[in-house]
Amino acid sequence: MTTEPVSQDEGEPLTDRLTRLMERSHKVWAENLDRRVEDIGLLKPDPLHALPAMQKWMQYSLDHPQQMMQATMELWSAQAELWTQTMQRMVGEDAEPLIEAAPGDKRFKDETWDQNPVYSYIKQSYLLAGRWLRNQLEDAEGLSPQDRKKLELITRNYIEAMSPTNLPATNPAVMKQTIEEKGENLVRGLEHLIRDMERGHGHLLIQQTDLEAFKVGENMAVSEGAVVFQNNVFQLVQFSPKTDQVYERPVVIVAPWINKFYILDLNKKKSMIKWLVEQGHTVFITSWVNPGPEQAGETWESYMKDGVMMAVEKALEETGADKVNIVGYCIGGTITGCTLAHMANKGDDRVGSCTFFTAQLDFSDAGELQAFVDEEVIDTLEDAVEQQGYLAAENMFGAFNALRSSDLIWSFVINNYMMGKENFPFDLLYWNSDSTAMPGQVHVYYLDTFYNRNALSKGELAIDGEVLDMKKVKIPCYHVATVEDHIAPADSAFRAAKMMGGRSQKFILGASGHIAGVVNHPDLGKYHYWTKTGLTGDNLAEWQKDTKRTEGSWWPDWDKWLAKQSKKKVPARKAGAVLGAIEPAPGSYVKVRADKR
């Protein structure tokens, strides 16, 4: 389907524009009707399997009527006090707000929310109700950790969805603009809405940034190099040297396949790849295929052997080195850990060191994504991927956005559809929207084996008939966790470090989150990190005692550690000198957009 551009002809009569927009919307629905019917047939009434948890919560309330009555009376008392204060303000008296939005909450930044008594009442009434609902969940007993995670996510998303900022009539900024533009903003918003429906082939695929402002290989992912190997699951990209001499042992980065590798090469000012090359490292990275039906037969084991182990093999073949320094980021770290344990079982010592970026191996408490996973949810996913062999990109895009719905969903609903504004060009949001599909069997296996059963940590995961034991991995390791990571919590990353068998383990705790805490170029002068000798303590809180805080990026500290693992310097290597160059970096796999299929 071709997507028509948003009309810029504001001189076109309103009736003609609305007629044309209605015709486009009907066309979107008609062209995708069969797919929508098929989707409806695959839907389950409770895809997150949240109903049992909600029933337990409701039952707790029914079993404790006095507690529920008291909480309800407190809510209505607060609402009554708020109404009294609002009446005082209506007649010109001063009144302190009963509740304020949390620091950093951008939804209520318009001054009208504080200056106008009506809007102030709407805001505070909403905040009081949201606080009350969260408190009821917090006080509820008898919920399993998994039930609580699901309910916390659903409750937070419900509260954020009910925000008065999400309705034009109760959003003062939208009302002002609608009056000023005589509704033109809403017409543009409708055009944006239809455009996003067309781009999502009938699904609403919210545009988060200017998609025309960036092009992979031209103004992002521009580090020079070549694709030196490819197969059904990945391309191996080698980057060109920037120094006359390089370390003997190359760096092989196993990128996550949930998103594309160029998060580490967004642009010249942020690129970790460029920085590593400038420090004298020979860098390879996995550029995973954006899977389609051709990858229906791929498995976790094939991604280990045809992916990670093949990348190691080809990097050694290209460089002639004795070992590689491997790096695993997020899910790339999880599969790297499994691969290292498998190699240890086989006596394969081609990896000299490993670095884990925000990676998990022990999934006993694996962050907010765990709310999406249990037996019933996995059954639903299996049904969804059974026919096409892969999980559509919009599923993962929606799941990650749901973890931060206020910032990644509702803010764009307001900006794009109510205000009728165009998106600001932002490279990180372009990368975030450049979603990838998931190979069906690989993804279901990952969720079930790790999030659901925590099989690796329990010693229940076997490859080639041999159980994987991380204690057999005795190579030096450098572990990076970040304090605000909601995908791979710092506690979980620390537990992963404790699982390793080698004595030479270094753990650092960085500021910020899963992306910004990792992609933090030293030249930016942002954030800080904590270090400590050894992995003392049974948990992260104990380790944090007496740590040393260093301002800025942790990259230089890592480079010092990495240099010790990289042996002597040798003459710089041209990318593809041995294996040959299939095509220039960043390669063709990374350029395939799921929303263009």
PDB file of all heavy atoms in Angstrom, residues 215-232:
ATOM      1  N   LYS A 215      18.100   8.650   7.294  1.00  0.00           N
ATOM      2  CA  LYS A 215      18.257   7.519   6.389  1.00  0.00           C
ATOM      3  C   LYS A 215      19.471   6.725   6.823  1.00  0.00           C
ATOM      4  O   LYS A 215      20.581   7.255   6.921  1.00  0.00           O
ATOM      5  CB  LYS A 215      18.408   7.977   4.937  1.00  0.00           C
ATOM      6  CG  LYS A 215      18.303   6.818   3.949  1.00  0.00           C
ATOM      7  CD  LYS A 215      18.121   7.302   2.526  1.00  0.00           C
ATOM      8  CE  LYS A 215      17.933   6.106   1.587  1.00  0.00           C
ATOM      9  NZ  LYS A 215      17.754   6.547   0.173  1.00  0.00           N
ATOM     10  N   VAL A 216      19.234   5.446   7.131  1.00  0.00           N
ATOM     11  CA  VAL A 216      20.313   4.576   7.592  1.00  0.00           C
ATOM     12  C   VAL A 216      21.371   4.458   6.501  1.00  0.00           C
ATOM     13  O   VAL A 216      21.065   4.180   5.348  1.00  0.00           O
ATOM     14  CB  VAL A 216      19.759   3.188   7.960  1.00  0.00           C
ATOM     15  CG1 VAL A 216      20.887   2.239   8.350  1.00  0.00           C
ATOM     16  CG2 VAL A 216      18.761   3.306   9.101  1.00  0.00           C
ATOM     17  N   GLY A 217      22.611   4.696   6.904  1.00  0.00           N
ATOM     18  CA  GLY A 217      23.716   4.647   5.964  1.00  0.00           C
ATOM     19  C   GLY A 217      24.082   5.989   5.373  1.00  0.00           C
ATOM     20  O   GLY A 217      25.117   6.115   4.712  1.00  0.00           O
ATOM     21  N   GLU A 218      23.233   7.026   5.616  1.00  0.00           N
ATOM     22  CA  GLU A 218      23.517   8.356   5.086  1.00  0.00           C
ATOM     23  C   GLU A 218      23.744   9.371   6.201  1.00  0.00           C
ATOM     24  O   GLU A 218      24.753  10.068   6.186  1.00  0.00           O
ATOM     25  CB  GLU A 218      22.384   8.814   4.159  1.00  0.00           C
ATOM     26  CG  GLU A 218      22.299   7.980   2.887  1.00  0.00           C
ATOM     27  CD  GLU A 218      21.276   8.529   1.905  1.00  0.00           C
ATOM     28  OE1 GLU A 218      20.761   9.644   2.133  1.00  0.00           O
ATOM     29  OE2 GLU A 218      21.000   7.837   0.906  1.00  0.00           O
ATOM     30  N   ASN A 219      22.824   9.489   7.156  1.00  0.00           N
ATOM     31  CA  ASN A 219      23.054  10.403   8.274  1.00  0.00           C
ATOM     32  C   ASN A 219      22.931   9.705   9.623  1.00  0.00           C
ATOM     33  O   ASN A 219      22.886  10.344  10.661  1.00  0.00           O
ATOM     34  CB  ASN A 219      22.126  11.622   8.200  1.00  0.00           C
ATOM     35  CG  ASN A 219      20.655  11.238   8.189  1.00  0.00           C
ATOM     36  OD1 ASN A 219      20.288  10.073   8.227  1.00  0.00           O
ATOM     37  ND2 ASN A 219      19.801  12.250   8.121  1.00  0.00           N
ATOM     38  N   MET A 220      22.852   8.394   9.599  1.00  0.00           N
ATOM     39  CA  MET A 220      22.973   7.568  10.810  1.00  0.00           C
ATOM     40  C   MET A 220      23.515   6.207  10.366  1.00  0.00           C
ATOM     41  O   MET A 220      23.365   5.816   9.207  1.00  0.00           O
ATOM     42  CB  MET A 220      21.641   7.443  11.535  1.00  0.00           C
ATOM     43  CG  MET A 220      20.520   6.906  10.726  1.00  0.00           C
ATOM     44  SD  MET A 220      18.857   7.164  11.452  1.00  0.00           S
ATOM     45  CE  MET A 220      19.148   7.357  13.175  1.00  0.00           C
ATOM     46  N   ALA A 221      24.193   5.524  11.302  1.00  0.00           N
ATOM     47  CA  ALA A 221      24.887   4.275  10.955  1.00  0.00           C
ATOM     48  C   ALA A 221      25.866   4.535   9.807  1.00  0.00           C
ATOM     49  O   ALA A 221      25.837   3.878   8.769  1.00  0.00           O
ATOM     50  CB  ALA A 221      23.895   3.183  10.581  1.00  0.00           C
ATOM     51  N   VAL A 222      26.765   5.508  10.032  1.00  0.00           N
ATOM     52  CA  VAL A 222      27.655   5.949   8.951  1.00  0.00           C
ATOM     53  C   VAL A 222      29.114   5.547   9.151  1.00  0.00           C
ATOM     54  O   VAL A 222      29.964   5.932   8.353  1.00  0.00           O
ATOM     55  CB  VAL A 222      27.565   7.477   8.756  1.00  0.00           C
ATOM     56  CG1 VAL A 222      26.181   7.877   8.289  1.00  0.00           C
ATOM     57  CG2 VAL A 222      27.934   8.218  10.032  1.00  0.00           C
ATOM     58  N   SER A 223      29.422   4.786  10.200  1.00  0.00           N
ATOM     59  CA  SER A 223      30.807   4.354  10.374  1.00  0.00           C
ATOM     60  C   SER A 223      31.229   3.486   9.192  1.00  0.00           C
ATOM     61  O   SER A 223      30.491   2.593   8.763  1.00  0.00           O
ATOM     62  CB  SER A 223      30.965   3.567  11.680  1.00  0.00           C
ATOM     63  OG  SER A 223      30.816   4.425  12.790  1.00  0.00           O
ATOM     64  N   GLU A 224      32.425   3.751   8.674  1.00  0.00           N
ATOM     65  CA  GLU A 224      32.892   3.062   7.480  1.00  0.00           C
ATOM     66  C   GLU A 224      33.257   1.615   7.786  1.00  0.00           C
ATOM     67  O   GLU A 224      33.719   1.287   8.874  1.00  0.00           O
ATOM     68  CB  GLU A 224      34.115   3.787   6.901  1.00  0.00           C
ATOM     69  CG  GLU A 224      33.810   5.194   6.433  1.00  0.00           C
ATOM     70  CD  GLU A 224      35.067   5.914   5.952  1.00  0.00           C
ATOM     71  OE1 GLU A 224      36.166   5.331   6.094  1.00  0.00           O
ATOM     72  OE2 GLU A 224      34.947   7.025   5.439  1.00  0.00           O
ATOM     73  N   GLY A 225      33.029   0.767   6.811  1.00  0.00           N
ATOM     74  CA  GLY A 225      33.364  -0.633   6.980  1.00  0.00           C
ATOM     75  C   GLY A 225      32.736  -1.458   5.880  1.00  0.00           C
ATOM     76  O   GLY A 225      32.347  -0.939   4.831  1.00  0.00           O
ATOM     77  N   ALA A 226      32.632  -2.768   6.116  1.00  0.00           N
ATOM     78  CA  ALA A 226      32.097  -3.664   5.097  1.00  0.00           C
ATOM     79  C   ALA A 226      31.423  -4.855   5.748  1.00  0.00           C
ATOM     80  O   ALA A 226      31.784  -5.275   6.850  1.00  0.00           O
ATOM     81  CB  ALA A 226      33.219  -4.141   4.177  1.00  0.00           C
ATOM     82  N   VAL A 227      30.425  -5.376   5.054  1.00  0.00           N
ATOM     83  CA  VAL A 227      29.840  -6.661   5.426  1.00  0.00           C
ATOM     84  C   VAL A 227      30.783  -7.742   4.928  1.00  0.00           C
ATOM     85  O   VAL A 227      31.057  -7.838   3.736  1.00  0.00           O
ATOM     86  CB  VAL A 227      28.437  -6.844   4.819  1.00  0.00           C
ATOM     87  CG1 VAL A 227      27.905  -8.244   5.104  1.00  0.00           C
ATOM     88  CG2 VAL A 227      27.486  -5.786   5.336  1.00  0.00           C
ATOM     89  N   VAL A 228      31.286  -8.561   5.842  1.00  0.00           N
ATOM     90  CA  VAL A 228      32.290  -9.568   5.458  1.00  0.00           C
ATOM     91  C   VAL A 228      31.715 -10.982   5.460  1.00  0.00           C
ATOM     92  O   VAL A 228      32.375 -11.925   5.013  1.00  0.00           O
ATOM     93  CB  VAL A 228      33.524  -9.495   6.378  1.00  0.00           C
ATOM     94  CG1 VAL A 228      34.201  -8.134   6.240  1.00  0.00           C
ATOM     95  CG2 VAL A 228      33.160  -9.753   7.836  1.00  0.00           C
ATOM     96  N   PHE A 229      30.489 -11.130   5.976  1.00  0.00           N
ATOM     97  CA  PHE A 229      29.836 -12.446   5.987  1.00  0.00           C
ATOM     98  C   PHE A 229      28.350 -12.245   6.181  1.00  0.00           C
ATOM     99  O   PHE A 229      27.920 -11.296   6.835  1.00  0.00           O
ATOM    100  CB  PHE A 229      30.402 -13.320   7.127  1.00  0.00           C
ATOM    101  CG  PHE A 229      29.685 -14.642   7.286  1.00  0.00           C
ATOM    102  CD1 PHE A 229      29.979 -15.706   6.448  1.00  0.00           C
ATOM    103  CD2 PHE A 229      28.698 -14.804   8.246  1.00  0.00           C
ATOM    104  CE1 PHE A 229      29.301 -16.916   6.567  1.00  0.00           C
ATOM    105  CE2 PHE A 229      28.011 -16.007   8.380  1.00  0.00           C
ATOM    106  CZ  PHE A 229      28.320 -17.065   7.536  1.00  0.00           C
ATOM    107  N   GLN A 230      27.555 -13.167   5.618  1.00  0.00           N
ATOM    108  CA  GLN A 230      26.123 -13.138   5.863  1.00  0.00           C
ATOM    109  C   GLN A 230      25.534 -14.526   5.692  1.00  0.00           C
ATOM    110  O   GLN A 230      26.055 -15.358   4.951  1.00  0.00           O
ATOM    111  CB  GLN A 230      25.412 -12.156   4.935  1.00  0.00           C
ATOM    112  CG  GLN A 230      25.400 -12.541   3.467  1.00  0.00           C
ATOM    113  CD  GLN A 230      24.702 -11.504   2.604  1.00  0.00           C
ATOM    114  OE1 GLN A 230      24.802 -10.308   2.849  1.00  0.00           O
ATOM    115  NE2 GLN A 230      24.000 -11.970   1.587  1.00  0.00           N
ATOM    116  N   ASN A 231      24.455 -14.776   6.410  1.00  0.00           N
ATOM    117  CA  ASN A 231      23.695 -16.009   6.241  1.00  0.00           C
ATOM    118  C   ASN A 231      22.226 -15.706   6.482  1.00  0.00           C
ATOM    119  O   ASN A 231      21.814 -14.540   6.406  1.00  0.00           O
ATOM    120  CB  ASN A 231      24.232 -17.125   7.159  1.00  0.00           C
ATOM    121  CG  ASN A 231      24.166 -16.771   8.646  1.00  0.00           C
ATOM    122  OD1 ASN A 231      23.440 -15.867   9.061  1.00  0.00           O
ATOM    123  ND2 ASN A 231      24.918 -17.496   9.462  1.00  0.00           N
ATOM    124  N   ASN A 232      21.450 -16.700   6.822  1.00  0.00           N
ATOM    125  CA  ASN A 232      20.007 -16.530   6.949  1.00  0.00           C
ATOM    126  C   ASN A 232      19.588 -15.730   8.163  1.00  0.00           C
ATOM    127  O   ASN A 232      18.447 -15.269   8.247  1.00  0.00           O
ATOM    128  CB  ASN A 232      19.333 -17.916   7.006  1.00  0.00           C
ATOM    129  CG  ASN A 232      17.841 -17.851   6.761  1.00  0.00           C
ATOM    130  OD1 ASN A 232      17.391 -17.227   5.807  1.00  0.00           O
ATOM    131  ND2 ASN A 232      17.056 -18.492   7.623  1.00  0.00           N
TER     132      ASN A 232
END
